[in-house]
Amino acid sequence: ALLILDSEQAALLFVWVIALSMLAVLVALCGHLGVGRVGKWVAVVMMLSSTAVSFYLIDGKVDLFAAAMGVAALYWALQVERGGGLAPAVCLAGLFTGFAVVAKATYALAVALPVAAILFWSARQSRFSVSLWLPFALFALLPFGPHAVKNILFFSEPFAPFFFLDPQIGAVYRSQG
């Protein structure tokens, strides 16, 4: 439906769709953690009244995409702790973690570390086998493939902006602040 608008406003509206989906996952995450109805409303109000979220919604910034992926990664990591179908939950936790880190590198600390800690705690409590770390790692690395291909095509540097094979390109990148 947003493609019919065929304008810059359509792109700005897409951020609202992502924010609403993040809100839905946040409410589901709260429910999984045992938060009641009032607590869920508090979480909704906290997210919607956040200055960062409101600025990103107005400006159409893509940082909300990374945040939505990070919240989804935490949700699926907690689903692993719940039990049941462990392999799909582990794979989805890894995939969403990878997407969040690719979208915003600082989420390596803000998302990947807590997700890994939750999974480590679940493994320590022997709720799932340590062999499920391999699917988690593979699915977490999966989003880096298209990112590297894009960097190769556009910049001839697969690991940009973290590591540059050509020192001159790295110097030009760092000189731009």
Side-chain angles (χ1 to χ4, degrees), residues 69 73 76 80 86-102 112 115 119 131-146:
M69 296 297 158
W76 284 107
V80 169
L86 297 178
V90 167
C91 293
L92 286 171
L95 190 64
F96 283 119
T97 300
F99 277 126
V101 172
V102 165
V115 167
L119 293 178
S131 65
L132 286 176
W133 281 103
L134 181 63
F136 173 77
L138 289 176
F139 275 83
L141 291 174
L142 197 60
F144 288 90

Side-chain angles (χ1 to χ4, degrees), residues 67-128:
M69 296 297 158
V71 171
L74 290 168
Y75 174 81
W76 284 107
L78 288 172
Q79 290 299 97
V80 169
E81 192 171 277
R82 175 184 275 185
L86 297 178
V90 167
C91 293
L92 286 171
L95 190 64
F96 283 119
T97 300
F99 277 126
V101 172
V102 165
K104 191 150 182 77
T106 57
Y107 282 9
L109 292 176
V111 173
L113 192 61
V115 167
I118 290 168
L119 293 178
F120 178 76
W121 183 259
S122 297
R124 188 169 179 251
Q125 299 294 333
S126 69
R127 294 195 181 146
F128 74 94

Side-chain angles (χ1 to χ4, degrees), residues 155 157 159-177:
F155 312 116
E157 289 287 340
F159 308 113
F162 307 111
F163 177 73
F164 293 96
L165 301 175
D166 183 1
Q168 290 178 329
I169 293 176
V172 170
Y173 178 81
R174 284 187 284 282
S175 71
Q176 295 176 3

